[in-house]
Structure formats: structure tokens, C-alpha cells
Amino acid sequence: MAALKPLLAKPWIWSFLGALSVWLATIAFTGGYGAGGMVTAALSLAVFTVIVGIGQMFVITLGPGNVDLSLPANIGLASAVAMKVMDGNDAMIVVGLLAALATGAAIGAANYLLIWALRIPPIIATLSASFIIQSIDISYGRGLQIKPPPGFADFANWQVLGIPVLAILTVLFTIGAAIALQRMVYGRSVLAIGQNIRAAWLAGVNVGRIRFLTYTLSGALGGIDGALLAGYFRGANVDIGNEYLLASIAVVVIGGTSVAGGKANVPGVWGAALFLVLLLTMLNTFGVSAGVRLLLTGLIIVGVITAAGGQKALR
Amino acid sequence: MRREMTAASLEATTKSSAERGALARARLLRGLLPALSLALVLLAIAWLNPRAISYFGFSLMLNLAIPIALATIAQMFVIAGNELDLSIGTFVGFVGCVTATWLKDAPLIGVLILLGSIGVYALLGALIHLRNLPSIVVTLGMSFVWQGLAILVLPKPGGKAPDWLLAFMAFKPPLVPFPIIAALLIGLIVHFGLMRTSYGVILRGSGGNPAALGRAGWSLLKTKIVLFALAGLFGVLSGMALIGITTSADANIGNGYTLLAIAGVILGGGEFVGGRVSPIGAVIGALTLALAASPLLTFMHIPPDWQVAANGAILIIVLAARVLISRRER
């Protein structure tokens, strides 16, 4: 028990415990049937939340008021761009991914441009931007070749011994993000800005550049996420990113990152993403209707936030 | 940020009278900005299609502006307390579903449900204050709750608005179209309540400087509860008005209102922090968005795909204009 103590003090442990208990509740209900398959499915779906969650985490860590509301629109547009560039052709997969990445990064950079030039809160800037991106997507995505190349769809759904390859790659990516956050100048600068922007500026942190990089990073991750989603679900559509507004913010907060900024937690994003995906699986397994599922999802998120609570508000 | 502002205003008091005159002009211009943007949109419509500027034209173009204006006022109360409500759209949808079902079939239960939902809003305010929670996350979670409840109340699009509500929303006053009268009334009533009463000042102060207000002995818990309850009340009015116009409901009917309402508050001169909001501005902002998003684009022969973009573009243009004016204020 004594050995467990330092583990329990970690803020991310709770999200994993939550995910574990939801998983146990579900397999208790099914009598153990499909326990492994459930983990595989949860891993495959959690990947998409983790990728945008990491981007959102860096943004939220910048401090109160920083949040990227343009992610859903960004994911939608990038998925369309990726599918159009790939055009069902296996040879164009890498080019398509790069195009999605570039689209997302451009959106992120545009977000910061609005924040900087108009001196408006990031919420309003990313909101205005998302209006415009949404329209571009609707207009651009019309009558589009929306099927991914077979090679790309296979890659996005590829599993080795029941473990999705995409999940392994995402774990590697999150390890990289954790190192960037804790051990690199960039990450330490983000944390410093979130703790006290004025002090960070006086200490010589190039605040403008770091914020620009962070919004661009969040945008780029949204872009790559859009392309991967289109591959996994074998097609792009305008609404493909809709659920990632709540999901990206929720995994950051449930995962133990401070909404007041200045304190981030990378493993928690994984735990929270698994928790959310498994929660949906559980409610589906219990056979509840769509209305009850939405109701319970909402109540559980509010409940978890209330239990975790106690920090200063996001804005 | 706030410290900079007080420094700027200190500087302003020591400036010469000529500079003060310029400052006052810039402030006036800034205050008129919402009205100017509405006038510009109206002028553009008049130029593109003179026939739209008529009793019938306005009744038609501004029809949906009433629920948007009410939802914007709801969001404004939340923003006045330095919070943000990302659930107002699905809440309006939920209210719509209740209006088209319970309120028609069993009015008493319908009224109780709607009153109860205002109570839930008040409780959210209390919860956010007591546990110091981020309102964005709580209301995002609540948006799922309202949507789930809406689907449970009305699984398939349908239902029917109560007859009295239909009759009320179809009211045709002489000379001035109903939506314009309604918008004026909403704006003036809320303006009086929030800007001209002593508790209204306390409510705005709870967003402007909560610490000072708390030390002066006012209950911040109570102000937050009142602000959220008012948001709930106007959300209910918005949902009812919407169903009075569309006659039937759908669980997703209000989803677009969340973002529209935030945009309306900001367009109307509201600031995101510091309890700086303007009820009349918010109503004007909502009207501008309602006009620019659909009638203006139709007259300009721009496909409806770009409707949402028009909202974003207007928001950016107005905010850019505000920055230009504020630069002069310095």
C-alpha cells in the first residue's frame, strides 16, 4: 500500500482508474465477452481524441482564456483536403497527409494572427475563424471524391496482435510531446507563460513566438487528425470533427491539466481519452437509447469536473 | 491587462482638453459601432433589393431574429459574469421540444419543466462559483445533457406549438413589423434592468471586479446564481419564440445558436471580460447577424454555403474596426 501512495498522488492516475472501472463494469455486464476487442476498439478511437487533446493541452496551458474552438472545423476541412489530394491514389498518401498538416498549421497560424492583430480573446478569434473554415469546408467538400486510397484506409485500421498500429505511433508521439513539455525550451516556455505571462516576458521568453507556435501546433495536429479520421472511417465529411470540440477540452481537464494554465499533464490525456471512449462503449453495450447516452455522457463529464474542480476558471 | 487599462485611463485624465475631446469622440464612435454595422447591412440590402425595405420585407427577414436576440441576451448575462455558456443552443432546442409537446398537451407540467430548467441554470451558476469550475467545460457537458433530454422528449422531429404561442408570434401590429417592436422591447427592458437599476450595477460589477464586490459585502454566489437564472429565463423565452415561428420542433433546432449568441454579444460591443456588456448592443448584434447571414447573401446571389462565413467575416471586420478606434483612444 505504501508503494502505491506516490502513484495515487499523480493527477493522471484518476483518469486511468476511471477508464479501468468503466471497462470492468462493461465486461461484468457482458460476462467477460469481448473484453479484448473492447480494448482494441477503445485504443483505435482514443487515438483521434489524444492527438487533438495534446494540441488543446498546449493551448490551454498558455493560461486563462486560451482555448482553440476551431478544431472541429479544422478537422473537417483537413479531412476533405487530404481526401482530395490523395484522390484515391496510394502513391499520393504522403502528399495528402502533408497537405492536411499544412492546412491545419495554416489555420492555427491564422488563429494567432487574429488574436495578435485584433487583440481579441482567443475564444472569439478561434470562433470567428471556425465560422469561416466551416463555410470553406462546406463549399469545397461538395461533390468531392471522399473515399481514401485503399492503402491509407488499411493503414489507419492496421492492427498487430490486437493493438492498433496508429495507437502505438500515437503513444510514441505523446512521449515526444511529454519530453517537449518538460525537457525542452519550448515546453518550459509554454508552462512559464501559463504560470505568469508577465514574469515569463520579463525573464526573456519570446511570448509572441511561443504563442504563435502553440496555436500553429494545435492547428497542425487538428489537420493530421482530420486526415487520419477520414482514413479510419473510410471517408471525409463536414461533420467528422464535431465531437472533438468537447472531447479535446474534456480530456485535457479530466486528465489533470490545470485550466488556469501553467500545469500540463500528458499521460492524463490518454487516460481521459480512453475513459471517454470506454464510457460510450459501456453505454452502447447497456443498450441505452441515444437520448439517455447523451444525457449520461454530459452528466458524467459535469460530475467528473465537479469532483476534480477547485481550480480557477478557463477564462 | 486590466492594470494596463487603468494606467491608460489615469493617463487620460491628465491629458489636455483637446485630447480629451478626441478621446470622447473615439468612445462615441466605438459605442455607435454596433448601430453603424446594422445600418451598413441595411443599406446594402436596400441597395440590392429596395423592395425588401417594407413592412412585409422586414417581417420576413427579421422573423428568426427574435429567438436569436433572446438567446444573445441569455449569453450576455453569462458573459457579464465573466463566464461563457456553450450550452445555450442545445438548451434552446430542449425548450423548443418541451414547448412543442408538454406545453401544448399538458400546460401545467410544461410550465413546471421549463421553470425547473431555469432552476437547473441557477444551480449551475452556484456549482461553477462554489467549486470554482471552468464554465466552458461545465456548459459543454451540459450541452450534451440538454441535447439528450431534447431527444428523450421528442425522439423524432414534430410536435406542435401551442395555439396561443402561434397567435402571439403571428401578431401583426400596424405600421411597424412585430420583430422590430419585439427587439426594441427586449433591448429596452434588459437595458433598464441591467444598466439602470442598482442591483444591475452589482451584477455587472461581479464580472468587473469580483474581489472588490465581495469585500464590499455582496454575495458573489448570489450574483452568479442570478446571472445564470436570467440566462436560463431568456433561453426559455428564446426556445418558445423559436417554436412559435417554426410551429414544430426538432431536437437539433437550436444547435447553431450557441455560437451565434456569443457572436451577437461581441458584435454588440460586449467585452469578454470585466462585466462590460450592452443589452441594446447585443440585440442590435443579433439583428445584424440575422440579416447578414441570410437575406443579404441571398440578395447578393451568394450560395447559402457561405452563410456561416458571413457571420465570421462580420465579426472579424467589426472587431478590426474596434481595434482601429481603440488605437485612437490611446
Side-chain angles (χ1 to χ4, degrees), chain A residues 44 152-160 163-167 169 232:
Chain A
S44 335
F152 185 55
D154 290 345
F155 165 75
N157 288 284
W158 183 23
Q159 294 173 5
V160 174
I163 300 171
V165 173
L166 218 48
L169 292 175
Y232 183 77

Side-chain angles (χ1 to χ4, degrees), chain B residues 8-9 12 20-33 276 325 329:
Chain B
S9 57
R20 224 176 295 158
L23 199 69
R25 270 201 304 282
R27 286 234 172 100
L28 186 69
L29 197 61
R30 196 190 150 106
L32 284 178
L33 203 54
R276 276 198 191 179
I325 294 170
E329 253 180 74

Side-chain angles (χ1 to χ4, degrees), chain B residues 2 80-82 201-213 273-276:
Chain B
R2 199 168 292 149
N82 280 355
V201 174
I202 302 302
L203 287 179
R204 284 183 290 133
S206 75
N209 193 338
L213 214 69
V273 280
R276 276 198 191 179

Side-chain angles (χ1 to χ4, degrees), chain A residues 118-121 123-124 127-128 131 135 138-139 142 246 291 294-295 298-299 302 305-307 309-311 314-315, chain B residues 82-83 131-133 136-137 140-141 144-145 148 151 259 266 272 305-306 308-309 312 315 319-320 323 327 330:
Chain A
L118 300 187
R119 277 184 276 154
I120 46 179
I123 295 184
I124 297 299
L127 176 68
S128 326
F131 280 146
S135 276
I138 295 172
S139 182
R142 182 150 295 168
L246 176 88
L294 284 167
L295 177 67
L299 284 178
V302 174
I305 300 294
T306 308
Q311 295 157 329
L314 189 57
R315 46 182 309 262
Chain B
N82 280 355
E83 307 287 350
R131 295 285 298 151
N132 212 354
L133 301 176
I136 284 194
V137 191
L140 261 179
F144 280 59
V145 172
I151 293 175
L259 302 183
I266 302 299
F272 220 46
D305 291 359
W306 296 95
V308 218
L315 205 56
L319 289 171
V323 169
R327 285 233 170 103
R330 290 279 147 86

Side-chain angles (χ1 to χ4, degrees), chain B residues 95-315:
Chain B
V95 170
C97 289
V98 173
T99 307
T101 53
W102 289 100
L103 202 58
K104 181 175 169 65
D105 304 331
L108 188 66
I109 301 179
V111 168
L112 285 178
I113 295 178
L114 294 181
L115 286 178
S117 64
I118 297 177
V120 171
Y121 252 84
L123 280 177
L124 280 182
L127 185 73
I128 286 172
H129 177 78
L130 290 173
R131 295 285 298 151
N132 212 354
L133 301 176
S135 55
I136 284 194
V137 191
V138 175
T139 54
L140 261 179
M142 283 310 291
S143 73
F144 280 59
V145 172
W146 297 123
Q147 180 131 48
L149 287 173
I151 293 175
L152 289 178
V153 170
L154 192 69
K156 267 178 274 174
K160 195 174 182 319
D163 296 324
W164 56 266
L165 188 61
L166 288 173
F168 181 74
M169 292 308 292
F171 178 54
K172 282 199 174 52
L175 298 171
V176 187
F178 180 58
I180 295 182
I181 294 182
L184 272 175
L185 273 180
I186 298 166
L188 287 176
I189 291 173
V190 180
H191 178 83
F192 178 77
L194 193 65
M195 313 302 273
R196 289 276 176 268
T197 63
S198 50
Y199 198 66
V201 174
I202 302 302
L203 287 179
R204 284 183 290 133
S206 75
N209 193 338
L213 214 69
R215 275 183 212 131
W218 294 95
S219 160
L220 290 174
L221 173 65
K222 198 177 143 201
T223 55
K224 194 129 288 178
I225 290 178
V226 171
L227 284 172
F228 270 81
L230 284 168
L233 172 66
F234 278 87
V236 165
L237 293 178
S238 169
M240 288 173 63
L242 179 59
I243 299 309
I245 296 165
T246 59
T247 72
S248 69
D250 162 5
N252 297 314
I253 199 165
N255 287 6
Y257 277 29
T258 305
L259 302 183
L260 269 182
I262 302 175
V265 175
I266 302 299
L267 264 190
E271 298 261 337
F272 220 46
V273 280
R276 276 198 191 179
V277 290
S278 154
I280 293 181
V283 171
I284 293 178
L287 295 186
T288 313
L289 286 175
L291 281 176
S294 137
L296 184 59
L297 289 188
T298 317
F299 296 143
M300 289 170 80
H301 303 290
I302 294 175
D305 291 359
W306 296 95
Q307 244 184 51
V308 218
N311 286 331
I314 289 176
L315 205 56

